[in-house]
Amino acid sequence: MNKQLLLDNLRCIPDWPIKGVNFRDVTTLFKSPEALREITDEMYELYKDKGITKIVGIESRGFVMSSALAERLGAGVILCRKPGKLPCETVQETYAKEYGTDTIEIHKDAISEDDIILLHDDLLATGGTMKAACKLVKKFNPKKVYCNFIIELAKEFPECRSQFDADVEISSLLQF
Protein backbone atom coordinates (compact mmCIF):
# COMPACT_ATOMS: atom_id res chain seq x y z
CA MET A 1 0.00 0.00 0.00
CA ASN A 2 1.18 3.49 -0.81
CA LYS A 3 0.75 5.03 2.66
CA GLN A 4 2.55 8.18 1.59
CA LEU A 5 -0.08 8.82 -1.09
CA LEU A 6 -2.79 8.57 1.56
CA LEU A 7 -0.91 10.72 4.06
CA ASP A 8 -0.24 13.35 1.38
CA ASN A 9 -3.98 13.53 0.63
CA LEU A 10 -5.25 13.44 4.23
CA ARG A 11 -6.23 16.82 5.64
CA CYS A 12 -5.63 17.36 9.34
CA ILE A 13 -7.47 20.19 11.07
CA PRO A 14 -6.02 21.21 14.43
CA ASP A 15 -8.35 22.12 17.30
CA TRP A 16 -11.53 20.92 15.57
CA PRO A 17 -14.22 20.33 16.70
CA ILE A 18 -12.69 21.33 20.04
CA LYS A 19 -9.31 22.59 21.19
CA GLY A 20 -6.74 19.79 21.45
CA VAL A 21 -8.30 17.55 18.79
CA ASN A 22 -6.40 17.02 15.53
CA PHE A 23 -9.30 16.09 13.23
CA ARG A 24 -8.43 13.67 10.40
CA ASP A 25 -10.58 14.70 7.44
CA VAL A 26 -10.96 11.74 5.06
CA THR A 27 -13.02 13.74 2.57
CA THR A 28 -9.77 14.86 0.96
CA LEU A 29 -8.90 11.19 0.38
CA PHE A 30 -12.24 10.70 -1.38
CA LYS A 31 -11.76 13.64 -3.74
CA SER A 32 -8.41 12.29 -4.98
CA PRO A 33 -8.97 9.58 -7.61
CA GLU A 34 -5.55 8.09 -6.84
CA ALA A 35 -6.13 7.98 -3.07
CA LEU A 36 -9.66 6.61 -3.51
CA ARG A 37 -8.33 3.87 -5.79
CA GLU A 38 -5.52 3.05 -3.33
CA ILE A 39 -7.99 2.67 -0.44
CA THR A 40 -10.36 0.57 -2.52
CA ASP A 41 -7.58 -1.66 -3.82
CA GLU A 42 -6.11 -2.18 -0.35
CA MET A 43 -9.48 -2.98 1.22
CA TYR A 44 -10.26 -5.35 -1.64
CA GLU A 45 -6.99 -7.24 -1.01
CA LEU A 46 -7.84 -7.51 2.69
CA TYR A 47 -11.32 -8.95 2.12
CA LYS A 48 -11.40 -10.61 -1.32
CA ASP A 49 -11.18 -14.13 0.14
CA LYS A 50 -13.38 -13.64 3.21
CA GLY A 51 -16.75 -14.36 1.57
CA ILE A 52 -18.21 -10.97 2.46
CA THR A 53 -21.89 -10.83 1.44
CA LYS A 54 -22.82 -7.40 2.83
CA ILE A 55 -20.98 -4.29 3.93
CA VAL A 56 -22.50 -2.09 6.60
CA GLY A 57 -21.50 1.54 6.10
CA ILE A 58 -21.63 3.70 9.22
CA GLU A 59 -23.19 7.15 8.77
CA SER A 60 -21.97 9.06 6.90
CA ARG A 61 -18.36 8.87 5.79
CA GLY A 62 -18.54 5.08 6.04
CA PHE A 63 -21.01 5.07 3.15
CA VAL A 64 -18.36 6.06 0.61
CA MET A 65 -15.91 3.16 0.93
CA SER A 66 -18.57 0.60 1.82
CA SER A 67 -20.19 1.28 -1.55
CA ALA A 68 -16.96 1.26 -3.53
CA LEU A 69 -15.74 -1.95 -1.91
CA ALA A 70 -19.12 -3.71 -2.16
CA GLU A 71 -19.10 -3.21 -5.92
CA ARG A 72 -15.63 -4.78 -6.15
CA LEU A 73 -16.51 -7.70 -3.87
CA GLY A 74 -19.93 -8.36 -5.38
CA ALA A 75 -21.55 -7.67 -2.00
CA GLY A 76 -24.57 -5.65 -0.94
CA VAL A 77 -24.53 -2.43 1.08
CA ILE A 78 -26.45 -1.76 4.28
CA LEU A 79 -26.75 1.73 5.70
CA CYS A 80 -26.32 2.17 9.44
CA ARG A 81 -27.95 5.48 10.30
CA LYS A 82 -29.20 7.70 13.05
CA PRO A 83 -32.88 7.29 14.00
CA GLY A 84 -35.53 8.53 11.61
CA LYS A 85 -33.36 8.35 8.46
CA LEU A 86 -34.41 4.88 7.24
CA PRO A 87 -37.90 4.49 5.76
CA CYS A 88 -38.88 0.97 6.87
CA GLU A 89 -38.97 -0.94 10.14
CA THR A 90 -35.60 -0.88 11.89
CA VAL A 91 -33.59 -2.52 14.66
CA GLN A 92 -31.79 -0.09 16.98
CA GLU A 93 -28.86 0.02 19.36
CA THR A 94 -28.37 2.83 21.87
CA TYR A 95 -24.91 3.48 23.28
CA ALA A 96 -23.15 5.80 25.70
CA LYS A 97 -21.09 8.70 24.45
CA GLU A 98 -18.88 11.09 26.35
CA TYR A 99 -21.76 13.53 26.95
CA GLY A 100 -24.94 11.46 26.71
CA THR A 101 -26.25 8.71 24.48
CA ASP A 102 -26.79 8.12 20.77
CA THR A 103 -28.69 5.56 18.75
CA ILE A 104 -28.01 3.86 15.43
CA GLU A 105 -30.27 1.63 13.38
CA ILE A 106 -30.50 -0.57 10.30
CA HIS A 107 -33.45 -2.04 8.47
CA LYS A 108 -35.00 -5.07 10.14
CA ASP A 109 -34.68 -7.13 6.93
CA ALA A 110 -31.08 -6.10 6.13
CA ILE A 111 -29.11 -9.13 7.35
CA SER A 112 -29.67 -12.88 7.41
CA GLU A 113 -27.92 -15.66 9.31
CA ASP A 114 -26.17 -16.67 6.08
CA ASP A 115 -24.43 -13.31 5.73
CA ILE A 116 -20.77 -12.54 6.33
CA ILE A 117 -20.65 -8.90 7.32
CA LEU A 118 -17.98 -6.23 7.01
CA LEU A 119 -18.68 -3.08 8.99
CA HIS A 120 -16.85 -0.01 7.72
CA ASP A 121 -16.30 3.47 9.10
CA ASP A 122 -13.71 6.11 8.38
CA LEU A 123 -12.07 6.32 11.79
CA LEU A 124 -11.59 4.32 14.98
CA ALA A 125 -11.02 6.46 18.07
CA THR A 126 -13.01 5.63 21.19
CA GLY A 127 -14.85 2.83 19.37
CA GLY A 128 -18.31 3.61 20.75
CA THR A 129 -20.17 3.84 17.47
CA MET A 130 -18.57 0.78 15.91
CA LYS A 131 -19.01 -1.26 19.08
CA ALA A 132 -22.72 -0.39 18.99
CA ALA A 133 -22.86 -1.24 15.28
CA CYS A 134 -21.28 -4.64 16.01
CA LYS A 135 -23.85 -5.32 18.73
CA LEU A 136 -26.60 -4.29 16.34
CA VAL A 137 -25.36 -6.54 13.53
CA LYS A 138 -24.84 -9.48 15.89
CA LYS A 139 -28.56 -9.37 16.77
CA PHE A 140 -29.08 -10.93 13.31
CA ASN A 141 -26.66 -13.83 14.03
CA PRO A 142 -24.57 -13.56 10.85
CA LYS A 143 -21.90 -16.17 10.17
CA LYS A 144 -19.01 -13.75 10.73
CA VAL A 145 -18.38 -10.06 11.45
CA TYR A 146 -15.35 -8.01 10.37
CA CYS A 147 -14.65 -4.32 11.09
CA ASN A 148 -12.57 -2.00 8.95
CA PHE A 149 -11.41 1.60 9.25
CA ILE A 150 -9.35 3.89 7.06
CA ILE A 151 -7.73 5.46 10.14
CA GLU A 152 -7.13 4.19 13.66
CA LEU A 153 -6.01 6.54 16.42
CA ALA A 154 -4.11 3.77 18.19
CA LYS A 155 -1.72 5.98 20.17
CA GLU A 156 -4.47 8.27 21.46
CA PHE A 157 -6.89 5.45 22.21
CA PRO A 158 -4.81 2.28 22.77
CA GLU A 159 -7.73 0.51 24.47
CA CYS A 160 -10.17 0.96 21.57
CA ARG A 161 -9.69 -2.52 20.07
CA SER A 162 -10.08 -4.28 23.40
CA GLN A 163 -13.74 -3.20 23.55
CA PHE A 164 -14.69 -5.54 20.72
CA ASP A 165 -15.56 -9.21 21.06
CA ALA A 166 -12.62 -11.52 20.34
CA ASP A 167 -14.41 -13.06 17.34
CA VAL A 168 -14.55 -9.70 15.50
CA GLU A 169 -11.52 -9.17 13.25
CA ILE A 170 -10.47 -5.51 13.01
CA SER A 171 -8.28 -3.87 10.41
CA SER A 172 -7.26 -0.30 9.63
CA LEU A 173 -5.23 1.11 6.78
CA LEU A 174 -3.49 3.93 8.66
CA GLN A 175 -2.59 4.04 12.34
CA PHE A 176 -1.71 7.20 14.21
Side-chain angles (χ1 to χ4, degrees):
M1 178 174 65
N2 186 345
K3 286 187 180 184
Q4 194 59 51
L5 171 68
L6 300 184
L7 292 172
D8 289 348
N9 283 280
L10 179 64
R11 177 169 42 204
C12 295
I13 304 167
D15 297 323
W16 196 87
I18 59 172
K19 188 167 180 58
V21 172
N22 189 21
F23 184 78
R24 313 289 183 182
D25 181 13
V26 298
T27 63
T28 52
L29 294 172
F30 300 155
K31 76 177 186 178
S32 163
E34 297 80 15
L36 185 60
R37 188 175 310 106
E38 187 69 20
I39 294 168
T40 305
D41 289 347
E42 185 64 22
M43 288 174 60
Y44 174 76
E45 289 300 319
L46 285 170
Y47 295 103
K48 67 182 179 184
D49 298 323
K50 304 287 187 188
I52 305 294
T53 57
K54 294 188 180 132
I55 302 177
V56 177
I58 310 298
E59 188 167 332
S60 66
R61 291 178 298 272
F63 295 166
V64 177
M65 293 314 304
S66 62
S67 299
L69 183 58
E71 190 281 326
R72 289 274 302 272
L73 291 174
V77 175
I78 297 167
L79 303 182
C80 183
R81 304 211 60 192
K82 294 180 179 175
K85 303 286 186 177
L86 296 171
C88 292
E89 193 173 351
T90 62
V91 177
Q92 295 184 336
E93 185 67 35
T94 299
Y95 60 101
K97 293 176 67 170
E98 190 174 358
Y99 300 106
T101 62
D102 210 346
T103 301
I104 54 173
E105 60 185 21
I106 60 176
H107 280 133
K108 188 176 182 178
D109 62 354
I111 298 171
S112 78
E113 291 183 355
D114 292 328
D115 282 320
I116 298 173
I117 303 295
L118 171 62
L119 290 108
H120 173 74
D121 204 358
D122 65 322
L123 183 118
L124 175 60
T126 63
T129 303
M130 185 59 84
K131 182 179 175 186
C134 280
K135 275 182 79 174
L136 181 58
V137 164
K138 284 186 166 196
K139 289 179 181 181
F140 294 89
N141 297 312
K143 287 181 179 178
K144 178 73 178 161
V145 176
Y146 298 90
C147 291
N148 173 264
F149 304 90
I150 298 171
I151 297 169
E152 179 178 349
L153 301 180
K155 288 182 185 174
E156 266 183 85
F157 302 96
E159 72 290 345
C160 59
R161 282 187 181 228
S162 65
Q163 298 179 59
F164 295 89
D165 294 340
D167 65 331
V168 175
E169 292 182 35
I170 300 170
S171 67
S172 56
L173 301 185
L174 298 172
Q175 292 188 344
F176 291 96

